[in-house]
Amino acid sequence: MRFVTYTPPPPLGRFVRLLWYYAAPELPDLLERVLPSGAMSLLINLAEDELRWYDSAADGGAARCHRLSGIAVCGAHAEHFAIDTAEQRAIVGAELSPGGAAPFFGPDAAALGGAHVSLDALWGREAALVRERVLEAKTPEERLRALESALASRLLRPRASLERDPSVDFALAAFADPSRAWTVADVTGQLGMSSKRFIRSFTERVGLTPKRYCRVQRFQQAVSAIERGERVSWAGVAAACGYYDQAHFIHDFRAFAGLTPTEYVTRRRERNHVPLDG
């Protein structure tokens, strides 16, 4: 397996948090659970001109397959889904900064929250050309540079929106402040904005409502705490991550992961994979 990352400098770095390359040629044909992170991503499949993702049917039914082109956008989401590890054995991706989608997708950015969309639906023929340029590059580093160049070129377009919303950036920084548990009311009070106006602006830029974004970030803190600890105390994790109590923690964890914390740890030990049906 090979995993290469690159953090682009400004101005692109104001909107793109990370570029990454992943390759693991010998992967079994399994489903891997993807947990919500609150971030939007652009993905390019280097192995096939298709990306597949799977949700779960109601009442625990079989996973349903959704097919996209080989270059696609995964919006900020608050639900888990699954990917086919064998199909995504060689991937280049860009993780956008929260609130950083507007220069690349314009007005469409507001509609991408929770969505999986083929990039050609947004960029037309240019999407396939970007994938071709990345495929033509020889090394992982060159492929990341090719994607960086394609994204940077979007910033030069005459109608590109290069101004980040300062109210959203203030909120993102506040919600990430480890020294204080900021609420939406705290943020709107500091900004002097109505709650309705702030929630609309935040959701349009980030793809999640402020409340749901904060819940996803708290969930991710819990996942990180579980990943770090060999012996896990659920009460300790709940307290450290700002949950009211252990029951609140377990409820939220199940809502985002589709598993209880105990089930998640068990799956993690099994590499978080489940066999494909048929």
Side-chain angles (χ1 to χ4, degrees), residues 14-189:
R14 296 176 58 225
F15 307 99
V16 177
R17 177 186 289 168
L18 189 72
L19 301 177
W20 53 270
Y21 167 91
Y22 171 84
E26 301 300 326
L27 285 174
D29 197 15
L30 301 172
L31 292 185
E32 179 177 296
R33 188 178 301 257
V34 178
L35 302 179
S37 68
M40 180 184 295
S41 296
L42 187 154
L43 304 171
I44 303 174
N45 191 344
L46 305 176
E48 303 178 28
D49 192 11
E50 182 176 78
L51 285 159
R52 298 188 289 273
W53 66 279
Y54 299 77
D55 62 14
S56 295
D59 302 320
R64 296 176 296 184
C65 178
H66 303 261
R67 299 176 185 274
L68 305 169
S69 69
I71 178 167
V73 177
C74 174
H77 57 281
E79 299 81 25
H80 67 276
F81 59 93
I83 59 172
D84 178 347
T85 56
E87 185 249 354
Q88 296 196 20
R89 60 191 178 275
I91 298 282
V92 167
E95 181 182 324
L96 305 189
S97 301
F104 311 110
F105 308 118
D108 294 317
L112 291 174
H116 302 254
V117 181
S118 294
L119 191 61
D120 55 10
L122 304 170
W123 287 9
R125 173 60 182 158
E126 184 184 350
L129 295 176
V130 169
R131 182 173 181 271
E132 288 174 11
R133 287 196 291 270
V134 172
L135 282 170
E136 288 169 358
K138 302 303 182 184
T139 68
E141 292 78 10
E142 289 173 353
R143 285 174 166 167
L144 294 180
R145 294 291 187 183
L147 180 55
E148 177 186 30
S149 176
L151 292 172
S153 70
R154 303 291 296 188
L155 303 184
L156 303 177
R157 297 191 168 221
R159 295 186 180 181
S161 175
L162 302 185
E163 294 301 321
R164 293 184 60 103
D165 187 320
S167 66
V168 173
D169 281 351
F170 175 85
L172 290 167
F175 294 149
D177 183 354
S179 67
R180 176 180 173 184
W182 286 74
T183 65
V184 172
D186 293 332
V187 170
T188 55

Side-chain angles (χ1 to χ4, degrees), residues 196-240:
K196 183 176 181 180
R197 180 185 167 201
F198 167 69
I199 291 172
R200 182 176 65 250
S201 296
F202 189 96
T203 306
E204 287 176 351
R205 291 281 182 166
V206 176
L208 298 171
T209 66
K211 183 177 180 180
R212 180 154 289 195
Y213 176 83
C214 289
R215 287 180 62 205
V216 169
Q217 297 312 301
R218 185 169 55 195
F219 163 74
Q220 277 294 326
Q221 290 176 26
V223 170
S224 296
I226 291 170
E227 296 290 339
R228 290 193 303 268
E230 294 181 3
R231 299 178 66 87
V232 180
S233 162
W234 299 134
V237 172

